[in-house]
Amino acid sequence: LCGRGVTTNRHVGNENFRSLVNCNKELYVSSTKKQKMRISRSIVEAVRSLDPPGRFLEKDQNSQTWFDIGDKKAVEKTSQALRDGAAGLRKQLSEDLNDPDFLSAVFDMDVVPEEKKAPAPKKDPKKTPLKKGHRRTMSNPTVESNTAKGKVMGLKR
């Protein structure tokens, strides 16, 4: 059920939907844009293929009847549910990947204690070859952006 409040939050279908979404959040945050759309669509398809089929319903405020919102809006709502809390999950994943104990537990690696590790050689940034792939760079340094709102605020002339 689309909507806000205790009634919709406690609906068994919504609880099952949130459970399905939570099982896929980690995969979602580490996926490409194309993969994210596939994940969202697959969740909608999984809900709709249940027996009896699950539906994505919204209440018409005029007639007070429920209607199906369709696949497009259901995928949008699912994508939003997958994004909720993603920043914290991304941060946790990043911390986990920097923790040698976590990595050894996941990959069954031998961990060398910090005091026995040889210091990493310092690299000269001028001699470091650039890696191929996408890099986020500011292509127009005269544009100031407000990252909180994600909108360009003004141009310097």
Side-chain angles (χ1 to χ4, degrees):
L1 304 177
C2 297
R4 296 172 181 240
V6 176
T7 306
T8 53
N9 275 338
R10 289 188 181 161
H11 188 276
V12 67
N14 286 11
E15 289 176 346
N16 291 336
F17 172 74
R18 283 194 305 273
S19 175
L20 188 56
V21 164
N22 288 333
C23 289
N24 287 279
K25 274 189 178 185
E26 193 171 321
L27 175 64
Y28 186 85
V29 299
S30 61
S31 297
T32 65
K33 188 173 183 175
K34 199 175 207 179
Q35 292 167 332
K36 287 177 180 181
M37 284 306 299
R38 285 189 194 132
I39 294 166
S40 296
R41 274 193 232 111
S42 71
I43 291 173
V44 171
E45 289 170 11
V47 169
R48 293 198 185 275
S49 66
L50 293 170
D51 186 23
R55 298 175 292 168
F56 293 83
L57 302 174
E58 190 172 317
K59 195 172 197 176
D60 182 300
Q61 296 305 314
N62 295 325
S63 66
Q64 298 297 305
T65 59
W66 293 92
F67 65 94
D68 193 296
I69 62 174
D71 284 345
K72 183 178 179 184
K73 196 167 179 184
V75 169
E76 290 171 6
K77 296 269 186 190
T78 302
S79 295
Q80 180 61 50
L82 287 161
R83 285 191 302 269
D84 286 346
L89 184 56
R90 258 189 234 93
K91 182 180 179 193
Q92 183 61 50
L93 286 172
S94 176
E95 289 171 1
D96 288 346
L97 291 174
N98 291 322
D99 179 3
D101 293 332
F102 174 81
L103 291 175
S104 66
V106 171
F107 296 108
D108 197 27
M109 302 176 346
D110 291 329
V111 177
V112 178
E114 284 296 321
E115 62 272 3
K116 292 186 180 181
K117 285 186 181 178
K122 293 188 178 185
K123 294 181 181 178
D124 184 358
K126 294 176 185 173
K127 293 183 181 180
T128 304
L130 294 175
K131 294 180 182 177
K132 290 183 179 179
H134 180 74
R135 279 185 281 289
R136 292 180 184 247
T137 60
M138 192 168 205
S139 59
N140 183 356
T142 62
V143 176
E144 295 176 357
S145 66
N146 181 338
T147 55
K149 291 184 181 176
K151 296 180 181 178
V152 174
M153 296 302 288
L155 298 174
K156 289 183 182 175
R157 296 190 192 253

